[in-house]
């Protein structure tokens, strides 16, 4: 899911007003500023105050949060600062609000006197520690959650923390090498060169030493400007996780940093707490087709084909991007910590251009057991071509055409799939919702500058007015949540899927600081850009989609059922709030008995082995998340990994089985494909994947229940507003 999607653009008058207001404020407070850092601090704080939807109040609570956040950003694994350093700096813990009010940088200066020395001291540890083999028969553990680690009291304690961390990294490499070697022996691969344990361990240590040599080389090259940018980001991050400062860089890298679009693999990345996080996988991209890289994963290392992997922990986002990008046809191998299992895995991806055909809306038809024809419409994202609004691809036009094709094939019901849809164009989600409700309110938008707006569909008549299901999951976000919520509030569709969707109900805007700087600050340009949260979405019933997302009417098991996932799992996420509902009239057509649908689904799930495997996995995942300490005893570690691997394979096998779905193209699709080899391959692969989709299979049964006499049409409990 992209955190950078912009859903609406202010009218020119609003943008001009914003610029004038900021220039007035900035010009009026110039007497505090001296130097580029103070100018940037001024612009950051004024922008937060004037534009941010819900800026943090500058008080002691903010001061504490900023104190902790900046130290966390600088030393997220607590491997540099000593407890004495934190004690020395703690005099500023409740003073940062006053410093920022005065535009002072006393705390930043104090940290600057400490951190470069601590980095230099730590740089001497790893070579000494990695000079000799590790003893993996010693029964000791390492704490992997930095929140549970105390700052080291002495340099001896800090050295031992480094020893454990390096031993853990070597152990992971040894385990991976042994897995590969054992697999080759089991296959009878005579070409594979079998090595002794000592040789494997030595190679692992050498690899970890090289990655740390690169790591410390980068750290030593970091300068005051880099850390000041991190300080500004800490200020923004305390407000909310989507507010960021982007320093000026080479234009190409700057654009990538703002958009997160990686030419070559098709992923959206962000940097939090020193780690490179995968935010979104672009549909149709090499990452999407490869299938192993998922939103929420953390990229630890990057290798070019068979070359040595480079550790990107602590690396700036633009530098990591340079490693991941590359020419079409070349291979990049990512070392990834999986969001779901916390496993460390290698993900090889062949760089390529995105096949845009896979990102567009498409449809198919399946038949229920009693012969009813059900249209299935899949929308990967709410796409729009802003450069060519009249002739370019647009999701609302495409969805309308797909609906016409399905209607022409005589469907009895519709399934609209919004799973893994990370959002996109707000205008288009309003239009598409109108295809099912005609005229009526869709979403409420609140803006710091423009106030409150109710966005309404003005579509003259429904494109589809029959029974309807909307499929969602925990990765359905932003615009997807708006559509699902609107159709649910209008009592127009049954929402089927996870307990809750992602829960991102805010909008961000990019602000070019050079455009807002007064003439007196021209000498400090380029200043960079700010990404600020400026709007918040609310359902027509008054509740926000932020944090809580949309709760499904019929809930299906999800791998994330027992852990915090989505927006609520991100530090400093904006809170859920409620405003007044708007007046709206629920759909006047028949609506099924929800309690009947729920109970029928529960009865089926109790005997469904695939969903049982999903639920079992979700419970194990909760236990794994709570288990933050890891053994450094190699055999015990390998035994634990073997158990997890077997459990994961059980889930994968359950998810790969063929279902009872009988899918076909619409007649118009089958004709249109003709001899187009690429489209045929894309559609064939898509249909094959749907044939193994256990969630779509259960949705088929839910639709069958909706259309059966036992699910007599009723009205939902509620009233017209």
């Amino acid at each position: 899911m992209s955190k950078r999607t912009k859903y609406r653009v202010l009218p020119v008058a609003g943008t001009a007003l914003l610029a004038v207001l900021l220039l007035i404020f900035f010009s009026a407070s110039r007497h505090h500023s001296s130097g580029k850092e103070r100018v940037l601090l001024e612009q950051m704080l004024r922008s937060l105050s004037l534009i941010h939807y819900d800026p943090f109040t500058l008080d002691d609570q903010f001061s504490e949060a900023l104190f902790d956040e900046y130290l966390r950003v600088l030393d997220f694994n607590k491997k540099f600062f000593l407890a004495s350093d934190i004690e020395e700096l703690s005099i500023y813990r409740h003073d940062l609000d006053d410093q920022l009010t005065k535009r002072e940088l006393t705390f930043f200066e104090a940290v600057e006197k400490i951190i470069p020395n601590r980095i230099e001291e730590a740089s001497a540890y790893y070579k000494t520690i990695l000079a000799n083999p590790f003893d993996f028969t010693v029964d000791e553990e390492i704490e992997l959650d930095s929140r549970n680690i105390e700052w080291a009291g002495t340099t001896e304690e800090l050295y031992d923390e480094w020893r454990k961390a390096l031993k853990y990294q070597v152990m992971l490499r040894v385990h991976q090498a042994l897995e590969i070697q054992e697999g080759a022996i089991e296959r009878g691969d005579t070409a594979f060169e079998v090595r002794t344990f000592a040789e494997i361990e030595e190679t692992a240590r050498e690899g970890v030493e090289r990655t740390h040599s690169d790591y410390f080389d980068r750290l030593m090259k970091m300068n005051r400007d880099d850390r000041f940018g991190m300080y500004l980001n800490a200020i923004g991050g305390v407000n909310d996780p989507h507010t960021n400062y982007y320093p000026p860089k080479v234009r190409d890298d700057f654009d990538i940093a703002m958009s997160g679009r990686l030419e070559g693999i098709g992923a959206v990345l962000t940097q939090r707490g020193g780690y490179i996080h995968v935010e979104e996988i672009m549909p149709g991209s090499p990452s999407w087709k490869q299938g192993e890289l998922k939103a929420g994963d953390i990229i630890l290392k990057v290798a070019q084909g068979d070359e040595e992997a480079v550790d990107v922990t602590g690396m700036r986002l633009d530098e990591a991007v340079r490693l991941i990008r590359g020419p079409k046809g070349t291979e990049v191998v990512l070392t990834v910590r999986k969001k779901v299992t916390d496993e460390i895995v290698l993900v090889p991806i062949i760089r390529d251009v995105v096949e845009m055909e896979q990102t567009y809306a498409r449809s198919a038809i399946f038949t229920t057991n009693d012969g009813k024809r059900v249209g299935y419409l899949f929308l990967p994202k709410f796409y729009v071509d802003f450069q060519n609004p009249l002739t370019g691809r647009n999701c609302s036009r495409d969805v309308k055409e797909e609906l016409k094709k399905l209607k022409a094939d005589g469907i009895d019901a519709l399934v609209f799939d919004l799973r893994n849809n990370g959002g996109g164009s707000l205008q288009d989600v309003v239009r598409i919702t109108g295809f099912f409700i005609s005229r009526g309110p869709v979403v409420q938008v609140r803006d710091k500058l423009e106030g409150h707006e109710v966005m309404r569909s003005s579509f003259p008549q429904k494109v589809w007015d029959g029974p309807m299901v909307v499929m969602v999951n925990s990765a359905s976000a932003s615009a997807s949540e708006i559509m699902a919520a609107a159709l649910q509030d209008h009592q127009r569709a049954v929402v089927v899927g996870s307990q809750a969707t992602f829960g991102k109900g805010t909008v961000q805007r990019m602000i070019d600081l050079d455009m807002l700087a007064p003439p007196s600050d021209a000498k400090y340009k380029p200043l960079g850009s700010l990404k600020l949260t400026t709007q918040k979405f609310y359902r027509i019933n008054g509740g926000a989609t932020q944090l809580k997302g949309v709760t499904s009417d019929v809930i299906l098991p999800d791998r994330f059922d027992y852990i915090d996932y989505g927006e609520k799992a991100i530090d400093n996420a904006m809170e859920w709030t409620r405003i007044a509902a708007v007046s709206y009239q629920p759909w006047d057509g028949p609506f099924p008995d929800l309690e009947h649908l729920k109970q029928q689904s529960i009865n089926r799930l109790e005997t469904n082995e695939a969903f049982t495997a999903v639920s079992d996995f979700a419970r194990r995942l909760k236990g794994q998340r709570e288990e933050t300490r890891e053994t450094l005893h190699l055999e015990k570690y390998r035994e634990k990994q073997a158990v997890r691997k077997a459990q994961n394979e059980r889930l994968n096998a359950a998810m790969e089985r063929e279902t009872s779905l009988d899918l076909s193209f619409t007649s118009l699709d089958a004709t249109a494909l003709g001899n187009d080899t690429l489209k045929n391959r894309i559609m064939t692969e898509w249909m094959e994947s749907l044939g193994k989709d256990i969630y779509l299979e259960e949705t088929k049964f839910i639709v069958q229940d909706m259309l059966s006499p036992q699910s007599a049409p009723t009205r939902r409990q509620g009233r017209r507003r």
Side-chain angles (χ1 to χ4, degrees):
M1 183 198 69
S2 173
K3 298 294 189 293
R4 300 177 173 82
T5 305
K6 292 188 285 185
Y7 292 94
R8 53 196 295 262
V9 179
L10 281 173
V12 173
T15 304
L17 174 62
L18 168 63
V20 170
L21 287 172
L22 285 173
L23 281 170
I24 292 172
F25 274 105
F26 292 149
S27 301
S29 56
R30 294 297 303 122
H31 62 279
H32 287 298
S33 301
S34 60
K36 186 171 183 176
E37 290 175 349
R38 292 183 184 276
V39 169
L40 284 170
L41 183 64
E42 179 73 29
Q43 296 234 29
M44 165 68 91
L45 294 174
R46 291 292 182 180
S47 296
L48 285 170
S49 174
L50 189 63
I51 311 170
H52 195 280
Y53 180 82
D54 186 22
F56 212 115
T57 303
L58 287 181
D59 55 15
D60 284 354
Q61 183 181 358
F62 175 89
S63 183
E64 289 181 10
L66 177 57
F67 181 89
D68 292 336
E69 179 69 9
Y70 185 50
L71 296 182
R72 185 185 70 84
V73 167
L74 283 179
D75 189 7
F76 44 88
N77 281 326
K78 298 182 180 174
K79 294 294 187 293
F80 297 110
F81 288 117
L82 293 171
S84 56
D85 299 326
I86 306 305
E87 183 177 359
E88 178 184 334
L89 294 169
S90 63
I91 61 172
Y92 304 112
R93 188 173 186 84
H94 298 105
D95 188 45
L96 300 187
D97 53 325
D98 299 319
Q99 289 184 26
L100 293 181
T101 300
K102 299 173 185 176
R103 305 316 191 240
E104 293 177 351
L105 296 171
T106 312
F107 170 63
F108 176 75
E109 297 282 3
V111 175
E112 276 297 289
K113 292 177 181 178
I114 298 173
I115 190 62
N117 295 330
R118 291 303 185 211
I119 291 173
E120 186 173 359
E121 290 167 5
S123 69
Y125 297 159
Y126 77 95
K127 288 186 178 180
T128 303
I129 294 169
L130 293 169
N132 299 300
F134 287 107
D135 183 356
F136 290 110
T137 65
V138 177
D139 205 357
E140 59 179 343
E141 293 182 326
I142 183 173
E143 175 60 61
L144 298 178
D145 190 338
S146 61
R147 292 170 296 186
N148 298 332
I149 300 174
E150 299 294 332
W151 300 99
T154 64
T155 53
E156 290 76 17
E157 291 178 9
L158 187 60
Y159 183 90
D160 195 55
E161 287 297 317
W162 272 101
R163 179 190 65 81
K164 288 183 178 180
L166 292 167
K167 183 177 182 180
Y168 176 67
Q169 293 177 45
V170 171
M171 182 181 71
L172 294 180
R173 287 179 177 242
V174 169
H175 169 65
Q176 290 171 0
L178 289 173
E179 287 269 285
I180 294 171
Q181 180 163 294
E182 289 162 357
I185 293 172
E186 185 177 341
R187 292 192 307 271
D189 186 351
T190 56
F192 187 86
E193 182 182 350
V194 177
R195 297 182 296 163
T196 66
F197 179 84
E199 290 171 332
I200 290 174
E201 195 273 347
E202 182 178 13
T203 301
R205 276 188 292 114
E206 290 172 350
V208 171
E209 182 175 355
R210 282 192 296 272
T211 59
H212 276 73
S213 178
D214 292 339
Y215 173 61
F216 275 101
D217 183 57
R218 293 195 304 273
L219 286 180
M220 301 290 270
K221 287 178 180 176
M222 282 186 65
N223 56 32
R224 179 187 174 101
D225 288 345
D226 294 322
R227 285 188 287 272
F228 187 70
M230 295 166 73
Y231 187 52
L232 293 179
N233 265 316
I235 294 172
V238 169
N239 278 269
D240 80 282
H242 309 306
T243 291
N244 306 105
Y245 166 69
Y246 293 92
K249 301 180 181 75
V250 178
R251 183 67 193 184
D252 184 37
D253 292 327
F254 180 67
D255 289 341
I256 290 169
M258 288 195 294
S259 69
R261 302 282 180 206
L262 302 184
E263 178 187 346
I265 71 167
V268 177
L269 305 183
T270 191
Q271 188 173 47
R272 294 195 300 271
Y275 289 104
I276 305 296
H277 292 253
V278 179
E279 293 292 335
E280 178 187 2
I281 301 298
M282 295 171 63
S285 69
S287 297
W288 184 82
K289 287 184 285 187
Q290 198 273 352
E292 292 184 52
L293 192 66
K294 302 292 185 182
D297 291 348
I298 295 174
I299 299 176
L300 302 176
K301 300 174 188 176
V302 179
Q304 311 304 320
D306 295 332
E307 296 179 13
E308 181 69 33
V310 176
D311 192 334
V312 296
T313 304
M315 184 181 288
R316 289 189 338 196
L317 180 59
D318 62 308
E319 293 178 354
V321 166
R322 292 191 189 103
L323 294 175
I324 297 172
R325 283 185 300 167
K328 173 183 176 180
T330 59
E331 183 182 53
V332 61
V333 181
L334 308 178
T335 302
V336 172
R337 176 178 292 160
K338 299 299 293 177
K339 168 75 174 179
V340 178
T341 63
D342 278 336
E343 286 181 290
I344 308 294
V345 300
L346 297 181
V347 180
I349 300 173
I350 303 299
R351 300 176 176 105
D352 199 354
V353 295
V354 176
E355 295 175 354
M356 291 304 295
E357 192 66 36
Q358 295 186 354
T359 71
Y360 298 144
R362 51 191 184 274
S363 63
I365 291 177
F366 59 84
T367 306
T368 63
N369 294 353
D370 53 2
K372 296 292 194 298
R373 291 170 61 78
V374 181
Y376 171 74
L377 201 160
F378 174 57
L379 185 64
K381 65 186 299 182
F382 289 89
Y383 53 86
V384 62
D385 187 345
F386 288 109
Q387 302 301 318
N388 303 287
L390 296 179
T391 59
R393 292 298 292 259
N394 174 288
C395 64
S396 57
R397 285 198 293 266
D398 288 352
V399 165
K400 187 177 179 181
E401 289 304 310
E402 296 297 329
L403 287 172
K404 287 181 177 179
K405 288 191 295 185
L406 292 170
K407 286 183 68 176
D409 266 353
I411 61 171
D412 299 294
L414 175 71
V415 173
F416 199 117
D417 192 348
L418 292 175
R419 289 177 297 170
N420 301 310
N421 184 320
S425 168
L426 179 60
Q427 300 294 342
D428 284 281
V429 76
V430 172
R431 291 191 191 100
I432 291 173
T433 304
F435 296 163
F436 309 108
I437 65 169
S438 186
R439 293 182 171 89
V442 174
V443 63
Q444 302 186 73
V445 182
R446 300 197 77 177
D447 187 291
K448 180 71 173 288
L449 293 177
E450 294 189 337
H452 176 262
E453 177 186 2
V454 178
M455 301 192 71
R456 300 174 181 274
S457 165
S458 57
F459 205 74
Q461 62 183 25
K462 303 181 187 74
V463 179
W464 173 252
D465 60 1
M468 182 176 179
V469 165
V470 173
M471 295 182 71
V472 297
N473 63 7
S474 51
S476 302
S478 297
S480 297
E481 296 173 289
I482 290 172
M483 180 174 170
L487 293 176
Q488 189 178 62
D489 290 342
H490 278 281
Q491 301 180 7
R492 176 64 186 88
V494 176
V495 179
V496 173
S498 306
Q499 291 181 11
T501 54
F502 194 89
K504 183 179 183 291
T506 60
V507 187
Q508 287 68 47
R509 176 191 298 160
M510 292 300 304
I511 298 173
D512 185 347
L513 296 181
D514 287 350
M515 297 290 292
L516 301 177
S520 57
D521 288 339
K523 61 185 175 182
Y524 298 120
K525 294 179 181 179
L527 295 169
S529 295
L530 289 178
K531 177 163 67 72
L532 293 176
T533 297
T534 58
Q535 295 175 325
K536 196 171 184 180
F537 294 135
Y538 290 87
R539 301 170 66 139
I540 57 176
N541 69 10
T545 54
Q546 172 67 10
L547 226 58
K548 290 187 178 182
V550 178
T551 302
S552 296
D553 295 315
V554 181
I555 296 173
L556 304 181
D558 187 287
R559 292 176 298 171
F560 307 116
D561 277 346
Y562 301 106
I563 63 171
D564 282 341
Y565 182 79
E567 188 82 357
K568 61 180 175 290
I570 304 175
D571 291 339
N572 301 323
M574 291 178 65
E575 64 181 6
W576 181 88
T577 50
R578 174 181 285 280
I579 62 175
V582 298
S583 177
Y584 65 95
Q585 181 171 309
W587 185 50
D588 57 4
F591 199 82
D593 181 346
L594 281 180
E595 290 306 316
H596 174 73
L597 296 185
K598 291 178 187 177
Q599 190 56 55
Q600 290 294 98
S601 181
I602 290 172
N603 293 342
R604 284 189 297 271
L605 295 180
E606 287 178 350
T607 58
N608 188 306
E609 292 183 6
F611 281 112
T612 300
V614 171
S615 295
D616 290 346
F617 179 89
R619 294 186 184 92
R620 291 196 306 272
L621 179 59
K622 180 178 186 295
Q624 289 175 211
R625 287 296 178 85
E626 294 171 348
E627 191 179 313
T628 62
R629 297 188 67 82
E630 185 60 84
T631 180
L632 293 176
H633 188 288
L634 179 60
E635 288 307 314
K636 290 183 178 180
Y637 174 80
R638 299 202 71 205
E639 288 172 5
K640 183 190 296 186
Q641 293 306 307
V643 171
R644 289 182 177 178
K645 183 178 180 180
Q647 292 169 339
N648 294 341
E649 287 175 349
R650 180 191 169 211
L651 175 64
N652 293 336
M655 300 291 279
E656 282 295 312
R657 72 173 179 83
E658 292 293 334
T659 67
S660 64
L661 285 164
D662 178 21
L663 290 149
S664 63
F665 298 130
T666 65
S667 57
L668 291 176
D669 270 330
T671 303
L673 287 174
N675 296 319
D676 190 323
T677 305
L678 175 60
K679 287 186 178 180
N680 267 294
R681 180 172 65 84
I682 291 172
M683 293 297 283
T684 299
E685 291 177 354
W686 179 58
M687 296 287 275
E688 288 175 354
S689 68
L690 292 180
K692 299 177 181 178
D693 190 336
I694 62 172
Y695 291 91
L696 184 56
E697 180 184 42
E698 174 57 24
T699 302
K700 179 191 81 168
F701 294 132
I702 292 170
V703 173
Q704 184 171 305
D705 290 338
M706 288 173 59
L707 301 178
S708 71
Q710 287 78 16
S711 180
T714 65
R715 296 303 308 151
R716 268 194 224 193
Q717 294 300 312
R719 59 183 178 86
R720 294 185 176 185
R721 295 183 175 275

